[in-house]
Amino acid sequence: MRYAELILPIPLPGYFTYSIPPSLEGRVQPGVRAVVPFGKQKYYTGIVRRLTDTPPEGIEIKPLADVTDALPVVTEVQLRHWEWMADYYLCSIGDVMKAALPAGMRPEGSRKEGLRQNYRPLTETFVRLNPALLEEESRLHEALDSLKRAGKQREALLRFLEEAGLTPESTAAFSEKGPGKGEKVPPLAPLPRSAVQKWTSPAVFAALAKRGFLQCFEQETGRLDTTPHATLPPHELNPAQQTALDSLKAQFRERDICLLHGVTASGKTEIYIRLIAETLRAGHQVLYFLPEIALTTQLTERLRAIFGSALGVYHSQYPDEVRVEIWQKQLGPAPYPLVLGARSALFLPFRRLGLVIVDEEHENSYKQFDPAPRYHARNAALQLAAYSGAKVLLGSATPSIESFRLAREGRYGFAELKTRYSRVEMPAVRAVDTRELRRKKLMDGHFSPPLLEAIGKTLAQGEQVLLFQNRRGFAPMLECNACGWVPRCKNCDVSLTLHKATGRLVCHYCGYSEPVPALCPSCGSKAIRPRGLGTERVEDEIALRFPRARVARMDTDTAHTRRQYEQLLSAFSRGEIDILIGTQMISKGLDFEHVRTVGILDADTMLNYPDFRAHERAFQLMAQVAGRAGRRKERGEVLIQTRDAAHPVIRQVLSGDYEALYATQLQERALFRYPPFYRLVYLFVKHRDPAVCHAASAHIGSLLRSYLGSRVSGPLDPVVARVQRLHIRQVVIKLEHGLSPRKVRELLRYALGELQSHPEFRSATVYFDVDPL
């Protein structure tokens, strides 16, 4: 008997072996889906990884229940990539499978209910002429003859013939003089019933169906856009772009990975387009990554204008049925040559992958934080490209320190664009010292006089303004002026954020909310005041100061769906919004023609965050949002409000000096043993009982320290030490590059297994975060 080793979408290590019953022999091969029993009641749909003649010993082997595919739905390259991800990110391969496959491709169920089918093909009712009437023209003529006294039915049938493909001359011939004997009717296309009902009444249609002249049937239509798209040639490259393109093409002959460092609005996308076109002409496929789903809106229009129906778009906000159909298309004879998507596009099947583009490669949105696998799409894409024999192009105006160092060391190819495409100067960036202005009582609420003046001038010229504040809600917290009481989440160790529009206090970690109290519950005082600044408050205060301006806000409260985001972007692009206020959603790669002024309202919150990457991220955010100003015609202006105008990062942003940021960050990270000199692994322990959480984290921390020594720090409390009523402890592991990654992973897995062997710790949630952000 033969056996199949399966991947099941569950968080348990390893593969699961099932016997292949004789009825399924010949249908089982790697990459197909199989339905299997699991435990006493469950059924899962798994992926066959390999076949074997030798089953594991000492366990009961159950038979496969069914095989659902004639051909593999997962390629060998994908399976190898899944295995790499499970090994590297210290999770189960079942976690990877669950993240990779759309839910509709992995139905589950129980013995009583059976499999729950999450995906159903989209069908439509079509109408066709009775096939018997197509055999000879005389039969169709007889049918029309029988309708001489039913004028409306005869007229409807003639209209159907014409719409289905008969020429008006042929239809007239049937109507007037009849057909020739023995001749067949030309082939006719079925018509959607919805179209037929537009020009005939239900009663007439029912009568024709009852007579047997017309027949209805269901046909699968699919959910993907199959409309042909006209295409245009790409824009001409300027000399700087052409030089960068030539350099990249030359370096790709020697290296598999290149970094394109181009200032904002330098035209990196045009270089991507040229490389995409060359790759497609060579018969290969391209995967184009963006860090945010929202960014696909503008770029889809731009790429479709050039590549037409060759472009497919894939991300997690599409309905599951659409994602299933895109997956099936990629396995079929006519896959999308070019796929644009967010990090989930990493998992699509590609047969001929030739180029991977990771735009805005520095973005932390490429990192999956929860649930497992906690992967970084940029790094995982590098491995996918290696398995596929593809090239990788990383692009950014503010590259990650790690990528820039690899380029500097010559391990990546490197090209630069130092000027904007339109030859417009980079925006003038200046810092506004709010500490000094507050001392002189010159601040107008949260706005400095220079910023208000710049906004007013921009509006008077008919141009647009972006205001960046990286906190949503009205205010990060409430506080009682009398006793200092601050409302806190009952589930998490964080203060509640005030959302004025809904009149509620909301936890941004677990979603808990409660109404805003009229009196302080601690002392009974009415002196409860908002503290801090959120986008909702900015919107209110700006509307008071510029009452004639059209003001809108873009954050996850106002744009939590793709449609809402697209509507806001479209309105801003059309000039229907004068001032757009937003969080980091407005900083990432968006291209607006009429933005003249950008205001960064509170730079200090970004700079003072307790994380070793805080200064790098602050620079990236400020430089990126500043890059939205003055991209086309006239030079833009950026004002950064800060209480520490002399801060090194502020000075680096003012001068656009990424090299200075890079140099200072390298010095600090080498000193304190951080990436890129060391690899980081965080271990998290979570439990509802703080005593269990502390004991379990202390146990595994001590065990790891016995093997890895001073490389292990903690356990300690993270920034937020309780979320959703789970107490959290963190162990930090810093590993120099000389250590064997395989041996380290084996050690970490051993330590996890040893912890879970203790009954008192089995209820704790323990997981690793490799290369955390």
Side-chain angles (χ1 to χ4, degrees):
M1 177 172 282
R2 300 211 75 191
Y3 302 87
E5 295 180 359
L6 268 74
I7 306 167
L8 298 185
I10 54 178
L12 294 176
Y15 303 95
F16 299 85
T17 304
Y18 289 83
S19 62
I20 303 174
S23 61
L24 297 179
E25 281 282 357
R27 295 175 57 191
V28 183
Q29 58 178 310
V32 301
R33 290 174 295 173
V35 179
V36 296
F38 189 84
K40 294 182 179 180
Q41 297 295 330
K42 292 285 292 183
Y43 274 93
Y44 286 109
T45 300
I47 295 289
V48 175
R49 180 60 185 106
R50 60 180 62 89
L51 305 182
T52 180
D53 295 319
T54 308
E57 297 180 358
I59 61 171
E60 177 190 1
I61 305 295
K62 298 178 181 179
L64 298 175
D66 195 13
V67 175
T68 60
D69 305 303
L71 296 171
V73 297
V74 180
T75 68
E76 176 62 25
V77 166
Q78 285 177 289
L79 291 170
R80 289 176 62 199
H81 192 235
W82 289 9
E83 289 170 334
W84 174 85
M85 289 185 73
D87 182 53
Y88 185 84
Y89 291 106
L90 295 168
C91 63
S92 76
I93 194 167
D95 287 325
V96 182
M97 174 190 168
K98 194 167 185 177
L101 284 182
M105 294 184 67
R106 43 179 175 82
E108 303 173 5
S110 66
R111 291 182 186 273
K112 291 184 179 181
E113 299 173 352
L115 289 181
R116 295 185 296 273
Q117 295 294 340
N118 299 321
Y119 169 75
R120 286 180 174 79
L122 182 65
T123 61
E124 186 176 352
T125 302
F126 280 80
V127 182
R128 66 188 171 203
L129 192 69
N130 187 329
L133 301 181
L134 295 171
E135 292 178 1
E136 289 187 12
E137 289 188 356
S138 59
R139 294 187 182 182
L140 181 55
H141 180 68
E142 289 169 3
L144 287 166
D145 234 16
S146 69
L147 296 174
K148 282 185 177 179
R149 295 186 179 181
K152 290 185 177 179
Q153 294 178 38
R154 192 171 191 275
E155 183 182 339
L157 185 55
L158 287 169
R159 174 72 182 272
F160 180 88
L161 294 173
E162 186 172 332
E163 296 286 343
L166 280 187
T167 63
E169 293 78 15
S170 299
T171 308
F174 278 112
S175 176
E176 295 169 8
K177 61 181 180 180
K181 292 184 178 180
E183 296 181 10
K184 287 190 174 183
V185 179
L188 299 179
L191 301 178
R193 181 169 179 172
S194 58
V196 176
Q197 288 176 333
K198 289 179 180 179
W199 41 262
T200 187
S201 68
V204 169
F205 180 83
L208 289 171
K210 187 175 181 180
R211 286 174 179 264
F213 298 154
L214 298 180
Q215 296 177 343
C216 291
F217 67 98
E218 294 294 311
Q219 181 170 302
E220 186 174 338
T221 56
R223 297 170 173 87
L224 305 184
D225 179 15
T226 56
T227 308
H229 296 274
T231 59
L232 299 170
H235 297 300
E236 289 294 322
L237 300 185
N238 64 27
Q241 288 173 312
Q242 189 63 55
T243 298
L245 176 62
D246 293 342
S247 174
L248 289 170
K249 288 163 64 175
Q251 291 180 81
F252 271 135
R253 288 193 282 269
E254 303 292 331
R255 296 180 177 85
D256 292 327
I257 306 168
C258 288
L259 172 65
L260 176 59
H261 180 200
V263 299
T264 55
S266 59
K268 294 185 290 296
T269 305
E270 291 300 325
I271 292 178
Y272 301 160
I273 287 170
R274 297 306 176 102
L275 291 171
I276 291 169
E278 289 192 12
T279 305
L280 299 189
R281 283 197 296 269
H284 298 298
Q285 293 171 289
V286 178
L287 175 56
Y288 190 149
F289 279 114
L290 290 172
E292 294 279 1
I293 292 169
L295 292 178
T296 61
T297 305
Q298 283 192 340
L299 194 56
T300 296
E301 296 176 4
R302 191 169 176 183
L303 293 178
R304 189 150 283 152
I306 295 169
F307 298 106
S309 55
L311 173 68
V313 181
Y314 187 89
H315 52 66
S316 60
Q317 279 197 9
Y318 274 150
D320 191 71
E321 294 89 348
V322 174
R323 286 185 282 148
V324 170
E325 292 187 10
I326 294 173
W327 189 289
Q328 292 171 339
K329 180 176 175 63
Q330 292 306 97
L331 291 168
Y336 288 118
L338 167 61
V339 174
L340 173 69
R343 62 175 181 255
S344 60
L346 174 78
F347 296 110
L348 280 173
F350 291 92
R351 303 281 193 190
R352 307 181 307 277
L353 189 61
L355 175 65
V356 178
I357 297 170
V358 186
D359 198 14
E360 309 293 354
E361 66 85 29
H362 65 279
E363 276 286 348
N364 61 3
S365 301
Y366 282 122
K367 173 71 173 179
Q368 164 81 12
F369 292 97
D370 274 310
R374 295 171 178 85
Y375 67 100
H376 195 296
R378 177 196 62 210
N379 299 344
L382 296 178
Q383 191 65 38
L384 175 65
Y387 286 145
S388 305
K391 304 294 185 181
V392 181
L393 178 60
L394 310 176
S396 177
T398 54
S400 64
I401 298 296
E402 291 88 341
S403 295
F404 197 74
R405 182 169 183 255
L406 289 168
R408 274 295 183 82
E409 291 178 345
R411 294 165 65 183
Y412 290 176
F414 183 68
E416 284 187 293
L417 288 170
K418 296 184 177 181
T419 58
R420 287 188 153 181
Y421 174 78
S422 57
R423 299 186 183 275
V424 173
E425 288 186 79
M426 293 295 290
V429 186
R430 57 178 169 139
V432 179
D433 190 338
T434 55
R435 176 182 297 176
E436 182 65 14
L437 289 171
R438 289 192 189 282
R439 187 183 67 81
K440 295 178 179 179
K441 299 186 175 4
L442 294 177
M443 288 290 288
D444 185 355
H446 294 92
F447 305 98
S448 63
L451 178 57
L452 293 175
E453 181 184 351
I455 293 172
K457 183 179 177 181
T458 298
L459 296 178
Q461 294 173 342
E463 302 281 33
Q464 293 173 304
V465 176
L466 280 181
L467 295 179
F468 173 71
Q469 174 61 15
N470 207 26
R471 285 181 183 270
R472 62 188 175 101
F474 187 83
M477 59 186 280
L478 284 183
E479 185 178 36
C480 175
N481 282 356
C483 70
W485 170 82
V486 173
R488 302 187 69 81
C489 178
K490 67 178 185 179
N491 303 318
C492 312
D493 282 344
V494 294
S495 60
L496 295 173
T497 300
L498 171 62
H499 286 250
K500 187 179 177 183
T502 58
R504 299 190 70 82
L505 299 166
V506 180
C507 175
H508 289 173
Y509 281 82
C510 72
Y512 167 79
S513 71
E514 61 184 43
V516 178
L519 301 175
C520 173
S522 178
C523 70
S525 171
K526 293 183 180 180
I528 302 175
R529 301 288 183 267
R531 292 284 183 263
L533 185 64
T535 51
E536 191 179 358
R537 190 172 190 176
V538 176
E539 183 182 25
D540 279 6
E541 295 186 3
I542 279 291
L544 288 174
R545 287 161 177 79
F546 299 96
R548 294 184 180 180
R550 296 164 296 178
V551 181
R553 172 165 51 96
M554 182 180 287
D555 53 32
T556 52
D557 295 323
T558 62
H560 59 272
T561 67
R562 183 169 58 94
R563 180 179 295 273
Q564 290 172 321
Y565 186 91
E566 289 174 355
Q567 288 172 344
L568 271 171
L569 282 185
S570 297
F572 193 64
S573 295
R574 292 192 301 266
E576 296 169 7
I577 298 169
D578 300 314
I579 303 174
L580 182 61
I581 300 153
T583 58
Q584 59 182 312
M585 293 175 76
I586 67 172
S587 72
K588 299 177 180 180
L590 297 172
D591 186 15
F592 300 116
E593 184 174 354
H594 298 291
V595 172
R596 178 69 60 81
T597 297
V598 168
I600 298 173
L601 300 181
D602 186 4
D604 305 300
T605 55
M606 295 182 281
L607 292 168
N608 297 326
Y609 192 79
D611 184 86
F612 77 93
R613 284 194 174 93
H615 287 180
E616 177 188 8
R617 287 180 181 156
F619 180 96
Q620 290 166 341
L621 266 176
M622 286 188 277
Q624 288 285 343
V625 74
R628 303 312 108 201
R631 294 172 68 90
R632 300 287 179 84
K633 298 176 182 177
E634 297 184 26
R635 190 182 191 192
E637 181 179 23
V638 180
L639 292 92
I640 302 175
Q641 295 190 162
T642 174
R643 295 183 296 276
D644 186 5
H647 194 289
V649 175
I650 297 292
R651 294 202 304 270
Q652 290 158 2
V653 174
L654 296 183
S655 59
D657 195 349
Y658 175 84
E659 298 271 359
L661 171 86
Y662 172 73
T664 56
Q665 286 298 298
L666 277 192
Q667 290 176 357
E668 291 179 10
R669 295 186 188 186
L671 182 62
F672 295 105
R673 297 191 302 167
Y674 280 117
F677 302 99
Y678 284 74
R679 303 294 295 269
L680 287 184
V681 179
Y682 290 169
L683 180 144
F684 291 95
V685 179
K686 298 182 178 180
H687 201 277
R688 289 185 179 274
D689 186 337
V692 174
C693 184
H694 278 67
S697 60
H699 181 86
I700 195 169
S702 176
L703 180 61
L704 290 171
R705 199 159 15 251
S706 68
Y707 288 100
L708 295 172
S710 62
R711 301 179 182 91
V712 179
S713 303
L716 44 84
D717 287 339
V719 175
V720 180
R722 187 171 65 102
V723 174
Q724 296 180 343
R725 298 189 178 183
L726 291 175
H727 295 268
I728 307 170
R729 297 281 280 173
Q730 175 185 355
V731 176
V732 176
I733 307 164
K734 297 179 179 179
L735 304 166
E736 63 269 33
H737 289 286
L739 293 177
S740 164
R742 181 181 59 81
K743 290 183 178 179
V744 169
R745 289 194 287 270
E746 288 175 357
L747 172 61
L748 296 178
R749 286 197 178 93
Y750 166 77
L752 179 58
E754 201 280 337
L755 178 74
Q756 293 172 337
S757 70
H758 294 264
E760 66 270 29
F761 298 144
R762 286 176 187 165
S763 58
T765 299
V766 186
Y767 63 87
F768 296 100
D769 187 0
V770 179
D771 299 335
L773 291 180

